[in-house]
Amino acid sequence: GAVVSQHPSRVICKSGTSVKIECRSLDFQATTMFWYRQFPKQSLMLMATSNEGSKATYEQGVEKDKFLINHASLTLSTLTVTSAHPEDSSFYICSARRTGHGAFFGQGTRLTVV
Amino acid sequence: AQSVTQLGSHVSVSEGALVLLRCNYSSSVPPYLFWYVQYPNQGLQLLLKYTSAATLVKGINGFEAEFKKSETSFHLTKPSAHMRDAAEYFCAVSLSGGSNYKLTFGKGTLLTVNP
């Protein structure tokens, strides 16, 4: 199978701090990963496309300086929420592209900023 | 712009009863549609996908969905619910052709199955 692991599954942080979320493809290499978020009672929306070795591509309305994406290896992409505020509290989920097989999702991270 | 709307944030059925989860789409081009399931503490798992080959799509775990262009719908059904079907279900439309690389999801429907 194709397994994507996301860590942590839940995190609570104080307002003003930064938090990093990891997305790993455990049994395949992924040159491309995708980050989504879901605000309460809203749809799960694509935030950005993470490309190994190059800059991420952000969807319209997503602040790239606030949501830093790093895809330094073929199995790991990280999303860092910088200077987090309560309105950043959301469910974040990643997916990893496996060539010829589609994209596979992690289990998601529930971020609460207090 | 492409979008999906899931009607009903929570559906409750009895074990053995029909499961019907509703999804309507909006798309200016022929859509590629997906249903995903998420069990607690697990990632989204692909149930089935519509890529224009056939309007009735069969997926895993006994689920199927029918694409109805006239109704812009892609409802998910299962004839007989099992306790293990309790999960959250997401309908999605592709933003990248027939692949599932970039998706727009609905808000999700939580399915509970009562014994």
Side-chain angles (χ1 to χ4, degrees):
Chain A
V3 179
V4 177
S5 177
Q6 200 170 329
H7 177 80
S9 57
R10 291 180 179 271
V11 58
I12 300 173
C13 70
K14 291 184 177 180
S15 186
T17 62
S18 296
V19 61
K20 181 185 286 186
I21 303 169
E22 295 185 345
C23 180
R24 292 181 185 273
S25 55
L26 298 185
D27 53 358
F28 66 99
Q29 293 182 333
T31 56
T32 307
M33 295 186 178
F34 305 90
W35 287 95
Y36 295 81
R37 70 180 171 189
Q38 183 180 29
F39 292 114
K41 299 184 180 180
Q42 300 296 316
S43 301
L44 192 60
M45 297 296 292
L46 180 66
M47 294 176 64
T49 302
S50 171
N51 303 297
E52 187 269 335
S54 64
K55 292 183 178 180
T57 304
Y58 291 82
E59 297 300 307
Q60 190 173 10
V62 178
E63 301 174 61
K64 62 180 180 180
D65 294 331
K66 180 166 187 64
F67 299 98
L68 301 180
I69 292 173
N70 184 278
H71 194 156
S73 79
L74 288 171
T75 59
L76 174 64
S77 175
T78 60
L79 169 68
T80 301
V81 183
T82 63
S83 187
H85 290 283
E87 56 264 32
D88 297 323
S89 298
S90 185
F91 179 71
Y92 294 85
I93 195 166
C94 69
S95 70
R97 173 182 173 176
R98 183 180 181 190
T99 304
H101 294 83
F104 297 86
F105 285 83
Q107 74 272 39
T109 297
R110 177 75 59 188
L111 170 64
T112 303
V113 185
V114 297
Chain B
Q2 298 175 75
S3 65
V4 291
T5 301
Q6 289 182 244
L7 301 175
S9 59
H10 185 198
V11 170
S12 182
V13 301
S14 298
E15 192 172 18
L18 171 72
V19 175
L20 171 61
L21 305 182
R22 299 177 187 273
C23 173
N24 287 88
Y25 70 89
S26 174
S27 178
S28 56
V29 298
Y32 294 92
L33 297 161
F34 303 79
W35 274 100
Y36 280 84
V37 59
Q38 186 173 29
Y39 300 103
N41 301 315
Q42 296 185 30
L44 293 174
Q45 180 181 2
L46 181 64
L47 273 178
L48 50 80
K49 62 181 178 181
Y50 168 74
T51 55
S52 78
T55 57
L56 182 63
V57 182
K58 294 187 183 300
I60 62 172
N61 302 338
F63 284 92
E64 62 182 37
E66 186 172 8
F67 174 74
K68 292 187 177 180
K69 185 178 179 180
S70 61
E71 299 177 6
T72 62
S73 69
F74 189 56
H75 301 331
L76 181 71
T77 61
K78 181 173 181 177
S80 176
H82 291 275
M83 297 296 290
R84 61 177 177 265
D85 296 326
E88 186 147 22
Y89 292 79
F90 293 89
C91 181
V93 61
S94 173
L95 305 174
S96 53
S99 75
N100 65 338
Y101 299 146
K102 294 185 177 182
L103 301 172
T104 288
F105 289 85
K107 295 180 182 180
T109 298
L110 180 64
L111 174 67
T112 58
V113 181
N114 305 307

